[in-house]
Amino acid sequence: MTTALSHYVVGLMSGTSLDGIDAALVEIKNRDGEIGVTPIQFSTLAYTKDLKDLLLQLCDPEAASLKDLSNMNFLLRSEEHTSEIQSLRH
């Protein structure tokens, strides 16, 4: 008897170029111990110049604070910056 388990996963990444957030929706299947990954959709949300400038400031340990880093975490999760990533659902 063949057994198959399937999961959909979204991976997020922002590289060192600071050009934006990449999102990939993939299906991961386990069919009788054989794992397969199928890309479903890919999207890039480009950073605005202002946001990129803020991120670059955080790369300077002399200028950035823990508070700044924490605030950026919340900014990146805001509705404005996640709307395109959420569109992967459709």
Side-chain angles (χ1 to χ4, degrees), residues 25-42:
L25 173 64
V26 299
E27 180 182 20
I28 301 175
K29 278 188 181 177
N30 180 344
R31 184 176 301 242
D32 292 330
E34 286 198 34
I35 306 292
V37 178
T38 304
I40 305 296
Q41 190 170 348
F42 178 83

Side-chain angles (χ1 to χ4, degrees), residues 3-76:
T3 303
L5 297 173
S6 180
H7 298 281
Y8 291 91
V9 178
V10 174
L12 300 174
M13 181 185 143
S14 178
T16 56
S17 66
L18 297 176
D19 56 353
I21 297 174
D22 296 320
L25 173 64
V26 299
E27 180 182 20
I28 301 175
K29 278 188 181 177
N30 180 344
R31 184 176 301 242
D32 292 330
E34 286 198 34
I35 306 292
V37 178
T38 304
I40 305 296
Q41 190 170 348
F42 178 83
S43 184
T44 298
L45 176 61
Y47 292 141
T48 64
K49 181 182 178 334
D50 290 341
L51 181 56
K52 185 173 181 175
D53 290 345
L54 286 172
L55 288 167
L56 284 170
Q57 289 174 17
L58 293 177
C59 294
D60 180 0
E62 298 295 322
S65 70
L66 187 56
K67 180 180 177 183
D68 295 334
L69 289 168
S70 179
N71 287 338
M72 180 57 72
N73 184 43
F74 287 101
L75 176 65
L76 291 174

